[in-house]
Amino acid sequence: MTIEFNPTPEQESIISPEIWESSIITASAGSGKTSTIIRRAINQIEFINNSQPWKHVAIISYTNRSKDDIRKQVKKLNGQNIISSTFHAFIIKHIFSFTSLFRNKEVSFNFNHTVATKIDWCNYIKDNGKIPKTQMQHRDYFFEYALYLIRNNKNIQRYLKVKFIAIYIDEAQDNNEFQYNIVDEIIDLGIQVVMVGDPNQTIYQFRGSESDRFKNLSNNFRFRKSFYLKRNFRCNELINQCANSYKTPKYDIVDYKNKGHGVFVRDSKSFYKVMNYFKKQQREGLAFLMRGFKGFRNEYNRKIVECYNLPIIAQPEIVSSSSTPYYLDMLFRLYFGGSKEEIEYIENLMPETKRSVARNVIKSLKDTPSIYNIQELNKLVGLYSEEDFEEIMNTFNSLEADRFYNISSTLSFAMTIHSAKGLEFNNVVMISNDFNSLNTEQDRNLFYVGCTRAKNRLFFMAD
């Protein structure tokens, strides 16, 4: 099966570079970066296949959703020797497996247990076979331990040098200090690294993300080439221009040749006309993307939600509050999804399990959700903490989870910009009051992310 892809000159320069070397790719929202880096990886493998057929390219993603998308595209394109993984999974399989703490063990994460020191972190893994959270937000013992091993374990260094010709790291703007230091060590081993990211989409500074580090990579002698993907294929061009202006517009900017798509400004008193119009459109809805709903600052947002009777859609708290939410997110997508999600779950998390057994366990869980059935599933995947089972059950039955995992683009709803990252909608409403000031990087990045969720129409609701 082939995937339709006609590369732009910008994309072609990345896919087939004159020289294969460590590089930086700055990719705007909706610029087709995933398709581009996959084809680069396939070309790079083909380039060295005759001389070094044992070499691999690893594409490291920020979330399981991105990892799964890459894996599916690679498979459809018949890509060989390409590994798609999250950063955590890559570290566990290719670095931690060399240590007695992890060797020949099935280790999962415990999102509820927190430790204060690195010694406590190691001891908890040794005693419980689970990786705990770190108490201090900007100290990540997981990546700190990985960095120590890469620097000091000769066996790991030799293995990585033999195994990989290149490692691509997607969403690199969200990396923390230790992840960037790991990248430096990998390059020093002679492995090429391709860093792919968009500093304008850094909205997780509170988790330790360092966008300045990504911006400064162009001055790092280890990276010899910089590429740029500027064209936004997702959004109408007028929406893209608004996002990059970092200014809330004062008047409508409409592309009348393209079904009246573009950017619109409406005051709150007349916005009911917009709502009434979209209620009559069978396949259209409005996604209200806001900075938040709690606190004095966002009392105005709460009034909008109440005025238009908007359901608030948010990722379930058990997922959003965990340090490694990917596996929980996949569990809920499995529960609320259909056959497609079931196949992805089995292929990614239960590859060694007999298909008929896996499907029976999943069917039992979906037909009769219970702690017992969660336990039976966990015997096969070993990813979930016993302490979470009751909360998982409650989340299965919650309206919050049902809304988030069954978002309908034909309805109008409200959600935070943080929750919307990675999603896209036909029509988006932004609240002008949320961006009275765009003086900080955090403000500008939230503005950019919110705007670029819209494909066809972007509305600004002003006082």
Side-chain angles (χ1 to χ4, degrees), residues 63-307:
T63 67
N64 262 333
R65 192 185 308 175
S66 298
K67 175 206 70 178
D68 295 340
D69 181 43
I70 291 168
R71 185 172 291 175
K72 284 187 289 186
Q73 287 197 46
V74 168
K75 186 176 180 180
K76 288 178 180 178
L77 293 168
N78 298 316
Q80 303 296 318
N81 288 13
I82 295 173
I83 295 170
S84 176
S85 175
T86 63
F87 219 138
H88 285 85
F90 180 87
I91 294 294
I92 290 173
K93 182 172 183 179
H94 299 288
I95 296 175
F96 286 174
S97 59
F98 283 83
T99 69
S100 59
L101 195 62
F102 287 85
R103 189 183 297 117
N104 299 324
K105 294 179 181 177
E106 292 289 336
V107 179
S108 60
F109 292 88
N110 185 343
F111 309 125
N112 296 317
H113 189 80
T114 304
V115 296
T117 69
K118 194 188 302 182
I119 293 175
D120 292 340
W121 186 83
C122 291
N123 287 338
Y124 188 83
I125 295 171
K126 182 179 179 181
D127 296 338
N128 299 278
K130 297 181 185 295
I131 301 171
K133 288 173 63 175
T134 304
Q135 194 173 72
M136 291 176 288
Q137 201 168 57
H138 292 283
R139 288 296 297 272
D140 191 328
Y141 296 135
F142 183 94
F143 288 111
E144 189 174 339
Y145 184 53
L147 179 61
Y148 169 81
L149 291 173
I150 293 175
R151 283 175 173 170
N152 296 282
N153 190 309
K154 299 297 183 183
N155 290 329
I156 293 174
Q157 294 171 6
R158 282 192 288 268
Y159 165 78
L160 292 174
K161 289 168 70 173
V162 170
K163 181 81 172 178
F164 297 103
I165 184 67
I167 296 176
Y168 299 6
I169 300 178
D170 195 11
E171 301 290 353
Q173 79 279 350
D174 288 323
N175 285 355
N176 62 31
E177 175 189 0
F178 295 110
Q179 289 168 295
Y180 277 113
N181 291 339
I182 288 171
V183 167
D184 287 341
E185 295 297 325
I186 290 172
I187 294 178
D188 287 345
L189 292 175
I191 300 168
Q192 295 174 28
V193 173
V194 177
M195 299 285 274
V196 187
D198 181 2
N200 292 329
Q201 296 193 65
T202 307
I203 59 175
Y204 295 116
Q205 287 91 339
F206 58 90
R207 294 181 185 171
S209 299
E210 295 189 349
S211 62
D212 286 343
R213 195 81 179 258
F214 182 84
K215 293 175 184 176
N216 292 331
L217 288 178
S218 59
N219 300 320
N220 188 324
F221 70 93
R222 294 179 173 86
F223 294 91
R224 299 178 181 275
K225 184 69 175 177
S226 294
F227 298 95
Y228 298 89
L229 293 174
K230 297 179 180 178
R231 182 178 173 184
N232 186 333
F233 293 94
R234 174 194 300 150
C235 309
N236 179 279
E237 179 56 28
L238 297 178
I239 295 174
N240 192 42
Q241 290 174 12
C242 177
N244 284 288
S245 74
Y246 300 108
K247 294 179 181 178
T248 53
K250 304 296 183 184
Y251 49 85
D252 294 353
I253 310 169
V254 186
D255 179 2
Y256 290 106
K257 294 181 180 179
N258 190 19
K259 300 179 181 179
H261 295 170
V263 183
F264 305 85
V265 182
R266 296 290 183 271
D267 62 53
S268 55
K269 293 180 180 178
S270 64
F271 204 81
Y272 71 91
K273 294 180 181 178
V274 176
M275 292 293 295
N276 287 337
Y277 172 81
F278 279 96
K279 283 180 181 178
K280 297 174 183 177
Q281 307 304 309
Q282 291 184 347
R283 298 183 179 181
E284 300 281 3
L286 292 168
F288 286 71
L289 304 186
M290 304 180 175
R291 293 196 67 155
F293 307 104
K294 298 179 181 178
F296 176 78
R297 176 181 180 182
N298 289 305
E299 181 179 348
Y300 180 73
N301 290 4
R302 292 202 310 275
K303 289 181 178 178
I304 292 172
V305 169
E306 293 169 1
C307 176

Side-chain angles (χ1 to χ4, degrees), residues 4-60:
E4 186 72 23
F5 184 72
N6 298 307
T8 64
E10 286 180 334
Q11 292 169 329
E12 187 61 43
S13 66
I14 295 170
I15 293 168
S16 303
E18 294 179 3
I19 302 173
W20 298 98
E21 56 191 344
S22 293
S23 305
I24 309 155
I25 301 175
T26 302
S28 300
S31 60
K33 63 170 182 174
T34 301
S35 297
T36 302
I37 63 174
I38 287 171
R39 283 163 174 79
R40 178 188 171 101
I42 291 173
N43 283 357
Q44 186 164 15
I45 286 293
E46 291 178 351
F47 180 78
I48 55 96
N49 190 46
N50 291 332
S51 59
Q52 297 173 297
W54 62 87
K55 290 284 190 180
H56 290 70
V57 170
I59 304 178
I60 296 178

Side-chain angles (χ1 to χ4, degrees), residues 278 281-286 409-411 426-427 456-457:
F278 279 96
Q281 307 304 309
Q282 291 184 347
R283 298 183 179 181
E284 300 281 3
L286 292 168
S409 60
T410 64
L411 300 176
N426 288 333
N427 311 295
N456 300 333
R457 302 176 188 87

